[in-house]
mmCIF file of all heavy atoms in Angstrom:
data_model
loop_
_atom_site.group_PDB
_atom_site.id
_atom_site.type_symbol
_atom_site.label_atom_id
_atom_site.label_comp_id
_atom_site.label_asym_id
_atom_site.label_seq_id
_atom_site.Cartn_x
_atom_site.Cartn_y
_atom_site.Cartn_z
ATOM 1 N N LEU A 288 162.830 20.664 74.097
ATOM 2 C CA LEU A 288 163.144 21.544 75.097
ATOM 3 C C LEU A 288 162.008 21.895 75.963
ATOM 4 O O LEU A 288 162.134 22.111 77.170
ATOM 5 C CB LEU A 288 163.829 22.811 74.438
ATOM 6 C CG LEU A 288 164.536 23.841 75.234
ATOM 7 C CD1 LEU A 288 165.722 23.178 76.086
ATOM 8 C CD2 LEU A 288 164.960 24.944 74.374
ATOM 9 N N ALA A 289 160.985 22.148 75.301
ATOM 10 C CA ALA A 289 159.590 22.534 76.058
ATOM 11 C C ALA A 289 159.197 21.460 77.055
ATOM 12 O O ALA A 289 158.936 21.689 78.207
ATOM 13 C CB ALA A 289 158.500 22.811 75.220
ATOM 14 N N LEU A 290 159.351 20.202 76.555
ATOM 15 C CA LEU A 290 158.965 19.036 77.435
ATOM 16 C C LEU A 290 159.851 18.899 78.585
ATOM 17 O O LEU A 290 159.371 18.717 79.747
ATOM 18 C CB LEU A 290 159.030 17.724 76.484
ATOM 19 C CG LEU A 290 157.911 17.356 75.719
ATOM 20 C CD1 LEU A 290 158.179 16.020 75.089
ATOM 21 C CD2 LEU A 290 156.641 17.206 76.612
ATOM 22 N N VAL A 291 161.074 19.027 78.393
ATOM 23 C CA VAL A 291 162.211 18.922 79.555
ATOM 24 C C VAL A 291 162.013 20.117 80.534
ATOM 25 O O VAL A 291 162.008 19.787 81.748
ATOM 26 C CB VAL A 291 163.590 18.844 78.973
ATOM 27 C CG1 VAL A 291 164.636 18.805 80.181
ATOM 28 C CG2 VAL A 291 163.773 17.525 78.314
ATOM 29 N N ALA A 292 161.731 21.281 79.991
ATOM 30 C CA ALA A 292 161.614 22.483 80.808
ATOM 31 C C ALA A 292 160.244 22.225 81.715
ATOM 32 O O ALA A 292 160.339 22.579 82.925
ATOM 33 C CB ALA A 292 161.471 23.676 79.997
ATOM 34 N N LEU A 293 159.256 21.610 81.185
ATOM 35 C CA LEU A 293 158.027 21.457 81.900
ATOM 36 C C LEU A 293 158.276 20.322 82.940
ATOM 37 O O LEU A 293 157.868 20.663 84.137
ATOM 38 C CB LEU A 293 156.952 20.951 80.893
ATOM 39 C CG LEU A 293 155.607 20.563 81.610
ATOM 40 C CD1 LEU A 293 154.927 21.939 82.363
ATOM 41 C CD2 LEU A 293 154.600 20.105 80.438
ATOM 42 N N LEU A 294 158.903 19.418 82.620
ATOM 43 C CA LEU A 294 159.461 18.310 83.589
ATOM 44 C C LEU A 294 160.135 18.956 84.786
ATOM 45 O O LEU A 294 159.822 18.651 85.975
ATOM 46 C CB LEU A 294 160.237 17.323 82.789
ATOM 47 C CG LEU A 294 160.779 16.120 83.764
ATOM 48 C CD1 LEU A 294 159.664 15.286 84.453
ATOM 49 C CD2 LEU A 294 161.723 15.277 83.037
ATOM 50 N N LEU A 295 161.278 19.800 84.336
ATOM 51 C CA LEU A 295 161.968 20.322 85.489
ATOM 52 C C LEU A 295 161.171 21.321 86.372
ATOM 53 O O LEU A 295 161.293 21.481 87.608
ATOM 54 C CB LEU A 295 163.133 21.161 84.821
ATOM 55 C CG LEU A 295 164.128 20.186 84.078
ATOM 56 C CD1 LEU A 295 165.276 21.121 83.438
ATOM 57 C CD2 LEU A 295 164.723 19.123 84.976
ATOM 58 N N HIS A 296 160.278 22.001 85.614
ATOM 59 C CA HIS A 296 159.324 23.067 86.550
ATOM 60 C C HIS A 296 158.518 22.296 87.530
ATOM 61 O O HIS A 296 158.375 22.769 88.586
ATOM 62 C CB HIS A 296 158.465 23.789 85.378
ATOM 63 C CG HIS A 296 157.176 24.391 85.922
ATOM 64 N ND1 HIS A 296 157.312 25.391 86.919
ATOM 65 C CD2 HIS A 296 155.899 24.091 85.746
ATOM 66 C CE1 HIS A 296 156.120 25.774 87.263
ATOM 67 N NE2 HIS A 296 155.213 24.974 86.502
ATOM 68 N N ARG A 297 158.009 21.186 87.064
ATOM 69 C CA ARG A 297 157.069 20.374 87.933
ATOM 70 C C ARG A 297 157.940 19.633 88.998
ATOM 71 O O ARG A 297 157.432 19.579 90.141
ATOM 72 C CB ARG A 297 156.271 19.351 87.141
ATOM 73 C CG ARG A 297 155.171 19.991 86.161
ATOM 74 C CD ARG A 297 154.454 18.930 85.383
ATOM 75 N NE ARG A 297 153.258 19.650 84.754
ATOM 76 C CZ ARG A 297 152.473 18.863 83.851
ATOM 77 N NH1 ARG A 297 152.781 17.635 83.685
ATOM 78 N NH2 ARG A 297 151.533 19.629 83.228
ATOM 79 N N THR A 298 159.145 19.312 88.662
ATOM 80 C CA THR A 298 159.950 18.553 89.663
ATOM 81 C C THR A 298 160.553 19.561 90.706
ATOM 82 O O THR A 298 160.549 19.334 91.855
ATOM 83 C CB THR A 298 161.072 17.829 88.914
ATOM 84 O OG1 THR A 298 160.567 16.993 87.923
ATOM 85 C CG2 THR A 298 161.971 17.028 89.917
ATOM 86 N N SER A 299 161.023 20.772 90.297
ATOM 87 C CA SER A 299 161.519 21.676 91.113
ATOM 88 C C SER A 299 160.632 22.636 91.831
ATOM 89 O O SER A 299 161.026 23.366 92.757
ATOM 90 C CB SER A 299 162.684 22.497 90.274
ATOM 91 O OG SER A 299 161.970 23.279 89.326
ATOM 92 N N GLN A 300 159.376 22.838 91.290
ATOM 93 C CA GLN A 300 158.463 23.976 91.549
ATOM 94 C C GLN A 300 158.938 25.245 91.402
ATOM 95 O O GLN A 300 158.511 26.194 92.057
ATOM 96 C CB GLN A 300 158.020 23.654 93.016
ATOM 97 C CG GLN A 300 157.255 22.367 93.446
ATOM 98 C CD GLN A 300 155.996 22.194 92.584
ATOM 99 O OE1 GLN A 300 155.192 23.066 92.646
ATOM 100 N NE2 GLN A 300 155.946 21.195 91.760
ATOM 101 N N GLN A 301 159.926 25.466 90.393
ATOM 102 C CA GLN A 301 160.429 26.812 90.100
ATOM 103 C C GLN A 301 159.826 27.271 88.693
ATOM 104 O O GLN A 301 159.700 26.424 87.942
ATOM 105 C CB GLN A 301 161.985 26.669 90.099
ATOM 106 C CG GLN A 301 162.613 26.518 91.348
ATOM 107 C CD GLN A 301 164.131 26.338 91.322
ATOM 108 O OE1 GLN A 301 164.723 25.270 91.497
ATOM 109 N NE2 GLN A 301 164.916 27.337 91.001
ATOM 110 N N ASP A 302 159.632 28.599 88.803
ATOM 111 C CA ASP A 302 158.911 29.161 87.690
ATOM 112 C C ASP A 302 159.812 29.704 86.532
ATOM 113 O O ASP A 302 159.405 29.995 85.438
ATOM 114 C CB ASP A 302 158.070 30.276 88.083
ATOM 115 C CG ASP A 302 156.747 29.864 88.831
ATOM 116 O OD1 ASP A 302 156.399 28.612 88.730
ATOM 117 O OD2 ASP A 302 156.263 30.490 89.659
ATOM 118 N N ASN A 303 161.138 29.492 86.643
ATOM 119 C CA ASN A 303 162.177 29.949 85.776
ATOM 120 C C ASN A 303 163.212 28.784 85.676
ATOM 121 O O ASN A 303 163.823 28.440 86.587
ATOM 122 C CB ASN A 303 162.903 31.318 86.211
ATOM 123 C CG ASN A 303 161.948 32.396 85.973
ATOM 124 O OD1 ASN A 303 161.923 33.058 84.835
ATOM 125 N ND2 ASN A 303 161.299 32.841 87.071
ATOM 126 N N VAL A 304 163.194 28.295 84.449
ATOM 127 C CA VAL A 304 164.131 27.119 84.278
ATOM 128 C C VAL A 304 165.089 27.468 83.008
ATOM 129 O O VAL A 304 164.582 27.996 82.065
ATOM 130 C CB VAL A 304 163.196 25.979 83.878
ATOM 131 C CG1 VAL A 304 164.127 24.817 83.475
ATOM 132 C CG2 VAL A 304 162.391 25.534 84.979
ATOM 133 N N VAL A 305 166.442 27.350 83.233
ATOM 134 C CA VAL A 305 167.386 27.388 82.215
ATOM 135 C C VAL A 305 167.849 26.063 81.826
ATOM 136 O O VAL A 305 168.368 25.251 82.701
ATOM 137 C CB VAL A 305 168.493 28.366 82.570
ATOM 138 C CG1 VAL A 305 169.645 28.422 81.573
ATOM 139 C CG2 VAL A 305 167.911 29.842 82.841
ATOM 140 N N ILE A 306 167.969 25.808 80.482
ATOM 141 C CA ILE A 306 168.525 24.489 80.023
ATOM 142 C C ILE A 306 169.529 25.029 79.033
ATOM 143 O O ILE A 306 169.348 25.842 78.093
ATOM 144 C CB ILE A 306 167.298 23.718 79.324
ATOM 145 C CG1 ILE A 306 166.304 23.346 80.376
ATOM 146 C CG2 ILE A 306 168.009 22.451 78.738
ATOM 147 C CD1 ILE A 306 165.199 22.588 79.841
ATOM 148 N N GLY A 307 170.702 24.401 79.144
ATOM 149 C CA GLY A 307 171.792 24.606 78.022
ATOM 150 C C GLY A 307 171.575 23.711 76.797
ATOM 151 O O GLY A 307 171.316 22.595 76.799
ATOM 152 N N VAL A 308 171.610 24.439 75.706
ATOM 153 C CA VAL A 308 171.456 23.839 74.337
ATOM 154 C C VAL A 308 172.798 23.997 73.592
ATOM 155 O O VAL A 308 173.085 25.148 73.279
ATOM 156 C CB VAL A 308 170.294 24.342 73.668
ATOM 157 C CG1 VAL A 308 170.232 23.715 72.250
ATOM 158 C CG2 VAL A 308 169.049 24.135 74.364
ATOM 159 N N PRO A 309 173.482 22.890 73.381
ATOM 160 C CA PRO A 309 174.644 23.090 72.603
ATOM 161 C C PRO A 309 174.563 23.434 71.132
ATOM 162 O O PRO A 309 173.630 22.987 70.552
ATOM 163 C CB PRO A 309 175.348 21.550 72.683
ATOM 164 C CG PRO A 309 174.772 20.939 73.899
ATOM 165 C CD PRO A 309 173.336 21.457 73.881
ATOM 166 N N PHE A 310 175.319 24.366 70.664
ATOM 167 C CA PHE A 310 175.187 24.899 69.303
ATOM 168 C C PHE A 310 176.687 24.663 68.608
ATOM 169 O O PHE A 310 177.625 24.995 69.342
ATOM 170 C CB PHE A 310 174.768 26.314 69.304
ATOM 171 C CG PHE A 310 173.993 26.625 68.031
ATOM 172 C CD1 PHE A 310 172.656 26.393 68.001
ATOM 173 C CD2 PHE A 310 174.633 27.331 66.935
ATOM 174 C CE1 PHE A 310 171.986 26.831 66.816
ATOM 175 C CE2 PHE A 310 173.847 27.699 65.877
ATOM 176 C CZ PHE A 310 172.475 27.367 65.895
ATOM 177 N N TRP A 311 176.651 24.110 67.612
ATOM 178 C CA TRP A 311 177.921 23.664 66.926
ATOM 179 C C TRP A 311 178.974 24.689 66.736
ATOM 180 O O TRP A 311 180.163 24.612 66.795
ATOM 181 C CB TRP A 311 177.789 22.911 65.671
ATOM 182 C CG TRP A 311 177.123 21.547 65.921
ATOM 183 C CD1 TRP A 311 175.965 21.102 65.445
ATOM 184 C CD2 TRP A 311 177.683 20.470 66.574
ATOM 185 N NE1 TRP A 311 175.654 19.823 65.769
ATOM 186 C CE2 TRP A 311 176.538 19.440 66.560
ATOM 187 C CE3 TRP A 311 178.763 20.289 67.524
ATOM 188 C CZ2 TRP A 311 176.837 18.252 67.234
ATOM 189 C CZ3 TRP A 311 178.914 19.051 68.076
ATOM 190 C CH2 TRP A 311 177.952 18.157 68.019
ATOM 191 N N GLY A 312 178.527 26.018 66.580
ATOM 192 C CA GLY A 312 179.450 27.117 66.664
ATOM 193 C C GLY A 312 180.336 27.287 65.478
ATOM 194 O O GLY A 312 181.264 28.136 65.375
ATOM 195 N N ARG A 313 180.245 26.431 64.439
ATOM 196 C CA ARG A 313 181.034 26.571 63.167
ATOM 197 C C ARG A 313 180.259 27.676 62.277
ATOM 198 O O ARG A 313 179.867 27.158 61.309
ATOM 199 C CB ARG A 313 181.228 25.145 62.597
ATOM 200 C CG ARG A 313 182.033 24.324 63.522
ATOM 201 C CD ARG A 313 182.236 22.922 63.032
ATOM 202 N NE ARG A 313 182.904 22.143 64.055
ATOM 203 C CZ ARG A 313 184.093 21.494 63.922
ATOM 204 N NH1 ARG A 313 184.719 21.658 62.908
ATOM 205 N NH2 ARG A 313 184.495 20.733 64.969
ATOM 206 N N ASN A 314 180.400 28.835 62.643
ATOM 207 C CA ASN A 314 179.677 29.873 61.953
ATOM 208 C C ASN A 314 180.516 30.458 60.807
ATOM 209 O O ASN A 314 180.344 31.591 60.401
ATOM 210 C CB ASN A 314 179.303 30.977 62.858
ATOM 211 C CG ASN A 314 180.494 31.501 63.710
ATOM 212 O OD1 ASN A 314 181.629 31.123 63.493
ATOM 213 N ND2 ASN A 314 180.084 32.430 64.618
ATOM 214 N N HIS A 315 181.299 29.641 60.152
ATOM 215 C CA HIS A 315 181.935 30.046 58.864
ATOM 216 C C HIS A 315 182.315 28.690 58.153
ATOM 217 O O HIS A 315 182.660 27.721 58.724
ATOM 218 C CB HIS A 315 183.246 30.866 59.223
ATOM 219 C CG HIS A 315 183.914 31.439 57.969
ATOM 220 N ND1 HIS A 315 184.538 30.656 57.026
ATOM 221 C CD2 HIS A 315 184.040 32.671 57.630
ATOM 222 C CE1 HIS A 315 185.094 31.494 56.047
ATOM 223 N NE2 HIS A 315 184.797 32.773 56.449
ATOM 224 N N PRO A 316 181.991 28.681 56.769
ATOM 225 C CA PRO A 316 182.154 27.473 56.138
ATOM 226 C C PRO A 316 183.662 26.820 56.261
ATOM 227 O O PRO A 316 183.843 25.560 56.118
ATOM 228 C CB PRO A 316 181.818 27.720 54.676
ATOM 229 C CG PRO A 316 181.918 29.302 54.561
ATOM 230 C CD PRO A 316 181.592 29.708 55.878
ATOM 231 N N ASP A 317 184.701 27.792 56.418
ATOM 232 C CA ASP A 317 186.042 27.142 56.468
ATOM 233 C C ASP A 317 186.320 26.397 57.837
ATOM 234 O O ASP A 317 187.332 25.753 57.902
ATOM 235 C CB ASP A 317 186.973 28.450 56.409
ATOM 236 C CG ASP A 317 187.156 28.880 54.968
ATOM 237 O OD1 ASP A 317 186.570 28.164 54.081
ATOM 238 O OD2 ASP A 317 187.707 30.019 54.814
ATOM 239 N N LEU A 318 185.459 26.474 58.761
ATOM 240 C CA LEU A 318 185.648 25.803 59.986
ATOM 241 C C LEU A 318 185.172 24.460 60.059
ATOM 242 O O LEU A 318 185.489 23.645 60.936
ATOM 243 C CB LEU A 318 184.920 26.590 61.133
ATOM 244 C CG LEU A 318 185.222 28.051 61.381
ATOM 245 C CD1 LEU A 318 184.561 28.668 62.436
ATOM 246 C CD2 LEU A 318 186.795 28.251 61.606
ATOM 247 N N GLU A 319 184.384 24.025 59.010
ATOM 248 C CA GLU A 319 183.730 22.638 59.037
ATOM 249 C C GLU A 319 184.710 21.521 58.966
ATOM 250 O O GLU A 319 184.363 20.582 59.731
ATOM 251 C CB GLU A 319 182.792 22.598 57.832
ATOM 252 C CG GLU A 319 181.492 23.436 57.946
ATOM 253 C CD GLU A 319 180.488 23.453 56.675
ATOM 254 O OE1 GLU A 319 180.829 22.561 55.922
ATOM 255 O OE2 GLU A 319 179.595 24.251 56.726
ATOM 256 N N PRO A 320 185.860 21.532 58.340
ATOM 257 C CA PRO A 320 186.797 20.383 58.327
ATOM 258 C C PRO A 320 187.813 20.317 59.421
ATOM 259 O O PRO A 320 188.710 19.669 59.352
ATOM 260 C CB PRO A 320 187.409 20.544 56.960
ATOM 261 C CG PRO A 320 187.467 21.942 56.677
ATOM 262 C CD PRO A 320 186.411 22.546 57.389
ATOM 263 N N LEU A 321 187.565 21.170 60.443
ATOM 264 C CA LEU A 321 188.691 21.291 61.513
ATOM 265 C C LEU A 321 188.353 20.443 62.642
ATOM 266 O O LEU A 321 187.203 20.169 63.061
ATOM 267 C CB LEU A 321 188.828 22.804 61.962
ATOM 268 C CG LEU A 321 189.227 23.773 60.970
ATOM 269 C CD1 LEU A 321 189.568 25.084 61.597
ATOM 270 C CD2 LEU A 321 190.435 23.278 60.191
ATOM 271 N N ILE A 322 189.354 19.916 63.397
ATOM 272 C CA ILE A 322 189.211 19.373 64.794
ATOM 273 C C ILE A 322 189.499 20.340 65.727
ATOM 274 O O ILE A 322 190.549 21.060 65.606
ATOM 275 C CB ILE A 322 190.256 18.157 64.906
ATOM 276 C CG1 ILE A 322 189.737 17.017 64.081
ATOM 277 C CG2 ILE A 322 190.285 17.762 66.489
ATOM 278 C CD1 ILE A 322 190.714 15.914 64.158
ATOM 279 N N GLY A 323 188.588 20.748 66.440
ATOM 280 C CA GLY A 323 188.741 21.862 67.523
ATOM 281 C C GLY A 323 187.520 22.074 68.395
ATOM 282 O O GLY A 323 186.509 21.423 68.198
ATOM 283 N N PHE A 324 187.612 22.854 69.410
ATOM 284 C CA PHE A 324 186.607 23.057 70.344
ATOM 285 C C PHE A 324 185.706 24.299 69.929
ATOM 286 O O PHE A 324 186.096 25.403 70.261
ATOM 287 C CB PHE A 324 187.242 23.367 71.744
ATOM 288 C CG PHE A 324 186.287 23.432 72.838
ATOM 289 C CD1 PHE A 324 184.825 23.200 72.744
ATOM 290 C CD2 PHE A 324 186.773 23.775 74.118
ATOM 291 C CE1 PHE A 324 184.067 23.247 73.834
ATOM 292 C CE2 PHE A 324 185.973 23.871 75.259
ATOM 293 C CZ PHE A 324 184.601 23.589 75.029
ATOM 294 N N PHE A 325 184.698 24.152 69.147
ATOM 295 C CA PHE A 325 183.833 25.176 68.678
ATOM 296 C C PHE A 325 182.478 25.156 69.296
ATOM 297 O O PHE A 325 181.817 26.245 69.273
ATOM 298 C CB PHE A 325 183.596 24.914 67.127
ATOM 299 C CG PHE A 325 184.826 25.090 66.285
ATOM 300 C CD1 PHE A 325 185.462 23.843 65.858
ATOM 301 C CD2 PHE A 325 185.380 26.227 65.789
ATOM 302 C CE1 PHE A 325 186.695 24.030 65.091
ATOM 303 C CE2 PHE A 325 186.425 26.358 65.080
ATOM 304 C CZ PHE A 325 187.177 25.142 64.664
ATOM 305 N N ILE A 326 181.967 24.145 69.968
ATOM 306 C CA ILE A 326 180.666 23.863 70.338
ATOM 307 C C ILE A 326 180.501 25.035 71.440
ATOM 308 O O ILE A 326 181.280 25.394 72.320
ATOM 309 C CB ILE A 326 180.369 22.583 70.775
ATOM 310 C CG1 ILE A 326 178.821 22.459 70.998
ATOM 311 C CG2 ILE A 326 181.140 22.274 72.145
ATOM 312 C CD1 ILE A 326 178.461 21.013 71.062
ATOM 313 N N ASN A 327 179.371 25.646 71.463
ATOM 314 C CA ASN A 327 178.938 26.739 72.470
ATOM 315 C C ASN A 327 177.583 26.364 73.036
ATOM 316 O O ASN A 327 176.737 25.757 72.301
ATOM 317 C CB ASN A 327 178.771 28.060 71.683
ATOM 318 C CG ASN A 327 178.697 29.236 72.566
ATOM 319 O OD1 ASN A 327 179.068 29.144 73.719
ATOM 320 N ND2 ASN A 327 177.890 30.229 72.229
ATOM 321 N N THR A 328 177.539 26.713 74.353
ATOM 322 C CA THR A 328 176.255 26.384 74.995
ATOM 323 C C THR A 328 175.365 27.564 75.088
ATOM 324 O O THR A 328 175.781 28.636 75.528
ATOM 325 C CB THR A 328 176.509 25.887 76.508
ATOM 326 O OG1 THR A 328 177.358 24.735 76.390
ATOM 327 C CG2 THR A 328 175.334 25.578 77.182
ATOM 328 N N LEU A 329 174.208 27.525 74.575
ATOM 329 C CA LEU A 329 173.155 28.636 74.670
ATOM 330 C C LEU A 329 172.189 28.358 75.772
ATOM 331 O O LEU A 329 171.533 27.342 75.778
ATOM 332 C CB LEU A 329 172.399 28.685 73.317
ATOM 333 C CG LEU A 329 173.278 28.857 72.030
ATOM 334 C CD1 LEU A 329 172.238 28.931 70.849
ATOM 335 C CD2 LEU A 329 174.124 30.033 72.180
ATOM 336 N N PRO A 330 172.226 29.308 76.783
ATOM 337 C CA PRO A 330 171.337 29.000 77.970
ATOM 338 C C PRO A 330 169.855 29.507 77.604
ATOM 339 O O PRO A 330 169.798 30.711 77.507
ATOM 340 C CB PRO A 330 171.976 29.791 79.020
ATOM 341 C CG PRO A 330 172.756 30.955 78.327
ATOM 342 C CD PRO A 330 173.113 30.393 76.996
ATOM 343 N N ILE A 331 168.958 28.633 77.513
ATOM 344 C CA ILE A 331 167.616 29.042 77.006
ATOM 345 C C ILE A 331 166.824 29.091 78.297
ATOM 346 O O ILE A 331 166.540 27.992 78.964
ATOM 347 C CB ILE A 331 166.980 27.913 76.089
ATOM 348 C CG1 ILE A 331 168.036 27.807 74.939
ATOM 349 C CG2 ILE A 331 165.691 28.485 75.565
ATOM 350 C CD1 ILE A 331 168.271 28.853 73.940
ATOM 351 N N ARG A 332 166.149 30.265 78.633
ATOM 352 C CA ARG A 332 165.423 30.492 79.717
ATOM 353 C C ARG A 332 163.827 30.215 79.276
ATOM 354 O O ARG A 332 163.416 30.799 78.464
ATOM 355 C CB ARG A 332 165.572 31.832 80.346
ATOM 356 C CG ARG A 332 164.677 32.125 81.544
ATOM 357 C CD ARG A 332 165.126 33.585 82.090
ATOM 358 N NE ARG A 332 164.364 33.765 83.303
ATOM 359 C CZ ARG A 332 164.714 34.866 84.118
ATOM 360 N NH1 ARG A 332 165.682 35.693 83.852
ATOM 361 N NH2 ARG A 332 164.120 35.094 85.281
ATOM 362 N N THR A 333 163.116 29.393 80.204
ATOM 363 C CA THR A 333 161.747 29.274 80.035
ATOM 364 C C THR A 333 161.051 29.720 81.284
ATOM 365 O O THR A 333 161.300 29.433 82.362
ATOM 366 C CB THR A 333 161.412 27.826 79.760
ATOM 367 O OG1 THR A 333 162.131 27.345 78.689
ATOM 368 C CG2 THR A 333 159.902 27.591 79.472
ATOM 369 N N ARG A 334 160.006 30.606 81.162
ATOM 370 C CA ARG A 334 159.213 31.119 82.254
ATOM 371 C C ARG A 334 157.864 30.542 82.270
ATOM 372 O O ARG A 334 157.228 30.443 81.254
ATOM 373 C CB ARG A 334 159.029 32.727 81.945
ATOM 374 C CG ARG A 334 160.363 33.460 81.973
ATOM 375 C CD ARG A 334 160.134 35.025 81.671
ATOM 376 N NE ARG A 334 161.357 35.810 81.843
ATOM 377 C CZ ARG A 334 162.370 35.876 81.012
ATOM 378 N NH1 ARG A 334 162.318 35.148 79.806
ATOM 379 N NH2 ARG A 334 163.391 36.658 81.248
#
């Protein structure tokens, strides 16, 4: 994530870069065997 943020910073010349990091979102053991839309995107900001 740090490498890609650095790449985007140098390419865009912007000092604030947000990258979405998917998180599986199955925050309870009973959700593990299900088919469903659980994944959540965490927007990570790098300055």
Side-chain angles (χ1 to χ4, degrees):
L288 187 61
L290 277 179
V291 173
L293 180 59
L294 176 65
L295 299 176
H296 161 64
R297 290 180 174 176
T298 305
S299 68
Q300 298 299 303
Q301 291 175 252
D302 292 334
N303 285 273
V304 173
V305 172
I306 299 173
V308 176
F310 211 79
W311 291 119
R313 297 179 186 241
N314 51 3
H315 190 289
D317 286 349
L318 304 179
E319 293 179 7
L321 300 188
I322 293 176
F324 186 8
F325 296 96
I326 197 165
N327 188 29
T328 299
L329 304 182
I331 309 294
R332 180 176 185 169
T333 303
R334 297 172 171 85

